[in-house]
């Protein structure tokens, strides 16, 4: 079983939402993703999709997008992004999913020998950019949810290393500690995958090893619209 990741699919959600307005490289982007996906990923593999799945605004609008993703090979683990307005009560989201698909929300799932957990995350304060009152509340809540998900992962893994999914980056290129990384550092985390960053924002991403964990930016345009192999069957690949 190999583990792949690709986020920010930004499917249309039953609306006219062409992504090539963000650049010609986005033209027919899901067709490009699907071609790579089918070439690389088998039915026993796992694909992590850390948020911004669809532009759908309501749960009733997400069906076609979920079916399109589920028609591709592999087991899928979904996480909510900041644009996933359709994502409502977690029970209702899970009820829409077919066999072999999972939705994480402040908890964990074990597939094969691997345990996955995560939460959406949020913007974090920096010395030059403090958060406003409302953002501060969301940020602190997401810190609690990250810890909650890691605690659940530890129960499933028996204390073995786990893979964490977030939508927002938990740190930036300089590698400076944040409240999110402080929490991650307390646990045996081997991989952290996140998305959210596009275009020029890709340049501020932290990619690589930090305190024993490998950090991966997996927004689809950062990956050239090709899923990244996070854990291979014989070796691990850092993207």
């Amino acid at each position: 079983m190999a583990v792949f990741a690709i986020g920010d699919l930004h499917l249309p959600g039953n609306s006219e939402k062409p992504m090539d307005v963000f650049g010609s490289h986005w033209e027919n982007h899901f067709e490009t993703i699907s071609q790579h996906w089918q070439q690389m990923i088998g039915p026993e593999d796992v694909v992590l999709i850390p948020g911004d799945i669809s532009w759908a605004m309501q749960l009733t609008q997400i069906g076609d997008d979920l079916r399109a993703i589920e028609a591709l090979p592999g087991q899928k683990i979904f996480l909510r992004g900041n644009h996933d307005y359709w994502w409502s009560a977690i029970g209702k989201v899970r009820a829409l999913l077919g066999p072999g698909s999972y939705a994480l929300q402040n908890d964990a799932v074990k597939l094969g020998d691997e345990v996955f957990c995560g939460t959406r995350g949020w913007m974090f304060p920096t010395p030059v950019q403090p958060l406003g009152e409302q953002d501060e509340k969301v940020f602190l809540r997401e810190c609690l949810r990250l810890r909650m998900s890691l605690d659940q992962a530890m129960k499933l893994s028996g204390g073995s290393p786990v893979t964490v999914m977030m939508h927002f980056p938990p740190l930036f290129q300089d590698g400076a500690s944040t409240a999110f990384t402080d929490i991650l550092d307390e646990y045996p985390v081997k991989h952290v995958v996140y998305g959210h960053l596009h275009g020029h924002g890709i340049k501020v991403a932290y990619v690589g090893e930090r305190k024993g964990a490998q950090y991966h930016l997996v927004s689809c345009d950062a990956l050239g619209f090709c899923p990244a192999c996070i854990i291979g069957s014989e070796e691990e690949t850092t993207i």
Side-chain angles (χ1 to χ4, degrees):
M1 182 186 83
V3 178
F4 294 82
I6 187 165
D8 301 83
L9 302 182
H10 286 295
L11 297 185
N14 285 347
S15 65
E16 292 295 327
K17 197 77 175 181
M19 289 297 293
D20 56 8
V21 298
F22 299 107
S24 59
H25 60 300
W26 281 92
E27 186 173 354
N28 298 319
H29 76 289
F30 189 62
E31 287 80 357
T32 302
I33 291 170
S34 298
Q35 289 171 7
H36 289 300
W37 189 313
Q38 293 179 74
Q39 292 168 0
M40 300 169 64
I41 296 168
E44 74 285 358
D45 295 330
V46 175
V47 184
L48 310 179
I49 305 172
D52 282 6
I53 299 156
S54 170
W55 290 111
M57 299 296 292
Q58 305 291 333
L59 204 61
T60 55
Q61 300 172 333
I62 189 61
D64 288 348
D65 291 344
L66 288 180
R67 299 292 85 79
I69 299 169
E70 291 184 323
L72 294 168
Q75 307 173 82
K76 293 88 179 176
I77 303 180
F78 297 98
L79 185 79
R80 185 179 187 177
N82 60 305
H83 289 299
D84 288 315
Y85 299 111
W86 58 273
W87 188 298
S88 58
I90 188 61
K92 293 181 179 180
V93 172
R94 288 172 174 160
L96 289 177
L97 301 179
S101 291
Y102 307 87
L104 280 183
Q105 185 163 298
N106 322 321
D107 55 5
V109 63
K110 184 174 185 178
L111 298 178
D113 294 329
E114 300 293 337
V115 174
F116 308 93
C117 68
T119 189
R120 178 188 60 182
W122 197 247
M123 299 174 286
F124 51 82
T126 68
V128 297
Q129 188 173 359
L131 296 179
E133 181 179 356
Q134 185 57 38
D135 285 327
E136 179 80 10
K137 290 179 180 179
V138 178
F139 161 69
L140 293 174
R141 185 171 67 227
E142 286 298 311
C143 287
L144 292 174
R145 289 175 171 174
L146 177 59
R147 186 178 295 281
M148 184 187 309
S149 72
L150 282 160
D151 286 341
Q152 290 296 316
M154 290 298 96
K155 293 178 182 179
L156 293 178
S157 73
S160 297
V162 300
T163 295
V164 176
M165 298 171 64
M166 298 184 71
H167 177 66
F168 283 85
L171 77 171
F172 286 140
Q173 186 182 35
D174 60 8
S177 296
T178 69
F180 291 129
T181 61
D182 288 345
I183 294 169
L184 292 166
D185 291 345
E186 295 178 29
Y187 294 81
V189 174
K190 63 179 176 181
H191 294 282
V192 180
V193 301
Y194 65 92
H196 187 65
L197 300 177
H198 302 286
H200 295 299
I202 292 170
K203 297 179 181 179
V204 305
Y206 186 91
V207 176
E209 191 273 341
R210 181 187 180 280
K211 296 190 177 181
Q214 291 287 339
Y215 286 75
H216 310 261
L217 172 64
V218 298
S219 48
C220 64
D221 51 330
L223 299 178
F225 306 99
C226 179
C229 183
I230 303 302
I231 304 172
S233 57
E234 296 181 356
E235 62 182 3
E236 296 186 0
T237 304
T238 302
I239 302 297

